[in-house]
Amino acid sequence: MTQTPTQSNRPKLGGILLQHLIVFLICVVFPGGVTWMAPATWITFHRSDDIVSCTTRTCVYFIVPYRVQQIDDVKSIEQHERTGGRKKEKKLGRYTGKTIAVDGEGFLQIHGPQDQWIEVNVSPASLDTVAEKANNFLASADKSSTTLFAIANWKFGGLMGGILTMFTALYVVGYTVGFIQWIFSRLKRAFRRA
């Protein structure tokens, strides 16, 4: 009887690359997409010589800005809301006969001189609070700066995006630690040979 040689249980390069691609898609791309569709925005107001300027940073992963808007002389702050409700579901260009719930959208508008304005998408649940804090800062001269946090949708962007962003943080930390360990193992081998 002849025995066939046993194959090694080590994964092949293609399998390793596929594993890393799947982890990258789950831990980086998917959370990035979620936090891009329902982004968080950091609204920063600065007061200098009784002139208030505003910078908004709309971010993915809550901290990586992809859109920055600025007004150098804020004149007024307004808010408006597009109410949610129920609408007919449409798939492939045809109505299915079902109705679905649609969340409302809130918007904070920061107006400057000469019809300049910037708009930030804010969850209707926190729109009044964010607008009140922004108007309070604009009306009082006590503080020189303040930063407000606004999110477009608390359920989708806040909860789901927050949990998924933790996976992104774990991914970054894990790969960074792995890379550092790899560098130290290479350095150890080099010193042993020398």
Side-chain angles (χ1 to χ4, degrees):
M1 265 169 111
T2 59
Q3 289 185 330
T4 58
T6 59
Q7 289 185 348
S8 154
N9 287 337
R10 290 185 62 158
K12 297 202 176 356
L13 180 63
I16 292 172
L17 289 176
L18 182 62
Q19 288 173 357
H20 286 280
L21 177 65
I22 290 169
V23 170
F24 180 78
L25 289 173
I26 291 171
C27 293
V28 177
V29 174
F30 186 60
V34 168
T35 56
W36 178 74
M37 287 189 292
T41 302
W42 297 93
I43 306 165
T44 305
F45 292 98
H46 286 288
R47 184 186 316 278
S48 176
D49 299 330
D50 291 333
I51 295 174
V52 175
S53 62
C54 177
T55 304
T56 64
R57 289 174 180 82
T58 304
C59 302
V60 291
Y61 309 112
F62 296 95
I63 58 169
V64 180
Y66 70 89
R67 184 174 68 220
V68 177
Q69 302 176 88
Q70 186 166 351
I71 292 279
D72 292 326
D73 185 7
V74 177
K75 299 297 186 188
S76 66
I77 298 168
E78 297 174 4
Q79 67 186 67
H80 67 93
E81 193 173 333
R82 190 178 307 143
T83 58
R86 302 193 68 74
K87 72 173 197 174
K88 292 180 181 181
E89 183 182 44
K90 193 175 188 181
K91 283 188 181 176
L92 302 172
R94 296 180 182 210
Y95 290 104
T96 62
K98 297 178 185 176
T99 57
I100 55 172
V102 179
D103 287 342
E105 289 182 289
F107 299 94
L108 185 74
Q109 287 185 340
I110 302 158
H111 295 270
Q114 301 171 351
D115 293 332
Q116 289 182 330
W117 57 277
I118 55 179
E119 188 172 70
V120 176
N121 199 337
V122 182
S123 170
S126 57
L127 181 60
D128 289 336
T129 306
V130 171
E132 181 183 355
K133 287 179 181 177
N135 278 311
N136 287 346
F137 178 82
L138 191 60
S140 77
D142 296 341
K143 290 185 184 177
S144 62
S145 69
T146 190
T147 300
L148 306 174
F149 176 77
I151 194 156
N153 185 309
W154 279 105
K155 289 180 276 186
F156 188 67
L159 286 173
M160 187 173 170
I163 291 168
L164 291 173
T165 299
M166 288 184 215
F167 286 120
T168 306
L170 286 173
Y171 176 87
V172 170
V173 169
Y175 273 82
T176 302
V177 168
F179 182 67
I180 291 169
Q181 287 177 338
W182 178 79
I183 288 174
F184 279 128
S185 69
R186 294 289 179 186
L187 289 174
K188 270 187 186 178
R189 283 186 202 162
F191 283 127
R192 283 182 190 159
R193 288 179 190 156

